[in-house]
Amino acid sequence: MIVNFDQIRGHRKILELLTRVVHTKRLAHAYVFSGLEGIGKRLTALALAKNLLCSSGGGKSCGTCSACIQVARGNHPDLMMIEPEKGVITIDNIRNLKRELSRKSFSGGYKVCLVDDADKMNLQAENALLKTLEEPTPDTVIILITAKPYRLLPTVLSRCQHLKFQPLALFDASELIMGGVAGVGKDDALLMASLTGGSPGKSFTLKVEQLKGLRDSWINQSKFCAQAKDENFFVGEENFLSDKENVDLKLNLLRLWYRDLALYKIYGNFDCVLNKDKAEEIASQSSALSLERILNALLGTEKYSATLEYNANPQLTLEAILMMLNPKRDFFWSKKI
Ligand SMILES: [Zn+2]
């Protein structure tokens, strides 16, 4: 489904800017839409395409003209979509794009091209795209959509207007989750919104039980490490991060867990706690740890999750975070592990 700008949650500043440039016809020839997965980048790009291609010409799509219907069906001749095939966007994909852009617009207006997961372009594809960006054809708009803009060549980034989409506010995200996932209650929706860092799209692909299963395996590991009395630190527990799948999500899970432990430690109640169904465990772990150790673990999670973005080893990252929790931490540092 392709919506209009006014039906998109969040991203107000970006939507205002795009509305303005569509009305004044002062669009950049290329944009990068970057930000977390599942927060509305592609939705916004499609809504922009619809506004630009609508034959009413008012800068806002009418939803009923043949152009709007073709965009909604995905077969408008002036709208191109490029996506990775088997995880990669190749030079052939970009050559097709160039060929299409060199043709005259069918409807006499704009030609719009969306490149989804643009960071999946291989180097040849990206260099070919760079040529196109250097010699833009009139009335064409290229939108590169990516959650990992740092993987794009700086030369490509510098030739596009970069719009950075922020995660949705928890309230907006949780309302979208309740609307999109059947049978999810308010508390679970808020937990899912928090665990996915404000990404309804991610929540739609994961089941609430799957998320809770991941969380519970973490709670066990956290408990074990917090109670460890010696260097036999990781014995008996499978490393939670050794499976690289959903690493971002798992780190959010850690963050939320320590956040809840800290809030309970400070306030002594569950009002602001997000893992509400784990009240007993929160009370028990929170009372077993000092506030300093909880905050250290929280800060450690922030610090190390930033390094994971750049492909640091997840297992070592987790071990470093867990060391923040362990009372024998000084012993580990002194051994320079
Ligand atoms: Zn229309």
Side-chain angles (χ1 to χ4, degrees):
M1 186 183 62
I2 302 177
V3 298
N4 285 329
F5 281 170
D6 53 11
Q7 294 165 284
I8 294 174
R9 288 263 187 160
H11 316 306
R12 281 301 117 196
K13 283 199 171 147
I14 287 175
L15 294 172
E16 277 167 24
L17 178 134
L18 291 174
T19 305
R20 207 163 50 240
V21 294
V22 169
H23 276 289
T24 54
K25 302 200 167 164
R26 301 182 75 156
L27 281 105
H29 65 273
Y31 290 91
V32 169
F33 285 7
S34 74
L36 198 69
E37 299 282 356
I39 56 171
K41 302 184 298 295
R42 187 185 156 106
L43 200 67
T44 305
L46 284 167
L48 174 63
K50 201 166 139 200
N51 284 345
L52 289 173
L53 298 173
C54 173
S55 44
S56 74
K60 185 179 176 186
S61 63
C62 67
T64 51
C65 71
S66 62
C68 282
I69 290 165
Q70 280 178 316
V71 171
R73 285 182 184 155
N75 60 5
H76 193 293
D78 292 325
L79 174 61
M80 270 193 83
M81 301 273 290
I82 294 180
E83 290 170 322
E85 288 163 25
K86 294 181 185 161
V88 63
I89 296 173
T90 63
I91 191 163
D92 287 340
N93 299 125
I94 301 299
R95 280 184 185 138
N96 280 342
L97 159 82
K98 281 183 156 180
R99 214 174 8 256
E100 287 296 326
L101 290 183
S102 67
R103 287 189 190 133
K104 236 176 149 345
S105 149
F106 281 86
S107 52
Y110 281 100
K111 289 185 87 80
V112 184
C113 176
L114 270 56
V115 184
D116 207 1
D117 287 328
D119 52 275
K120 298 277 165 58
M121 278 186 284
N122 63 22
L123 192 60
Q124 292 103 314
E126 220 176 335
N127 277 321
L129 179 73
L130 186 60
K131 288 254 161 54
T132 308
L133 295 174
E134 282 168 343
E135 298 152 11
T137 40
D139 294 332
T140 59
V141 181
I142 299 172
I143 305 168
L144 308 180
I145 302 169
T146 175
K148 293 169 180 159
Y150 53 86
R151 292 205 173 154
L152 293 173
L153 289 173
T155 40
V156 165
L157 271 177
S158 70
R159 280 172 177 79
C160 302
Q161 185 172 357
H162 191 168
L163 301 183
K164 296 173 184 170
F165 286 63
Q166 300 301 319
L168 294 181
L170 285 189
F171 177 75
D172 282 336
S174 64
E175 287 228 316
L176 286 171
I177 291 165
M178 275 197 283
V181 187
V184 172
K186 204 172 153 193
D187 283 349
D188 278 350
L190 205 54
L191 181 66
M192 284 172 94
S194 313
L195 286 175
T196 54
S199 165
K202 262 192 195 171
S203 303
F204 297 153
T205 60
L206 290 158
K207 300 243 177 336
V208 69
E209 291 314 320
Q210 189 186 354
L211 276 175
K212 286 185 170 176
L214 272 174
R215 180 198 57 183
D216 294 349
S217 87
W218 162 250
I219 291 174
N220 281 336
Q221 183 145 25
S222 170
K223 186 158 86 182
F224 179 81
C225 294
Q227 289 169 349
K229 298 263 187 295
D230 54 30
E231 68 271 27
N232 292 324
F233 199 62
F234 300 104
V235 179
E237 285 292 333
E238 207 174 302
N239 191 328
F240 173 71
L241 287 187
S242 54
D243 166 16
K244 284 194 177 187
E245 189 124 334
N246 290 320
V247 166
D248 292 352
L249 187 78
K250 291 172 180 174
L251 283 169
N252 272 341
L253 212 140
L254 263 69
R255 236 181 241 133
L256 273 200
W257 185 246
Y258 294 129
R259 172 199 173 277
D260 281 359
L261 293 190
L263 286 172
Y264 181 76
K265 189 96 189 160
I266 294 165
Y267 296 113
N269 63 47
F270 297 102
D271 292 354
C272 303
V273 158
L274 284 160
N275 292 282
K276 285 198 194 297
D277 57 326
K278 287 284 160 186
E280 203 179 312
E281 197 61 49
I282 287 171
S284 136
Q285 284 199 27
S286 175
S287 59
L289 295 164
S290 67
L291 183 60
E292 189 192 1
R293 272 167 64 196
I294 297 172
L295 293 178
N296 270 339
L298 185 57
L299 291 173
T301 312
E302 293 297 335
K303 183 177 160 194
Y304 289 106
S305 62
T307 65
L308 266 187
E309 270 288 286
Y310 298 96
N311 280 336
N313 181 322
Q315 178 138 351
L316 291 178
T317 303
L318 180 72
E319 290 178 9
I321 292 169
L322 291 178
M323 277 181 201
M324 301 279 187
L325 262 189
N326 190 275
K328 295 283 175 184
R329 186 179 151 210
D330 294 343
F331 168 82
F332 283 105
W333 287 151
S334 69
K335 290 188 96 177
K336 292 200 167 70
I337 289 176

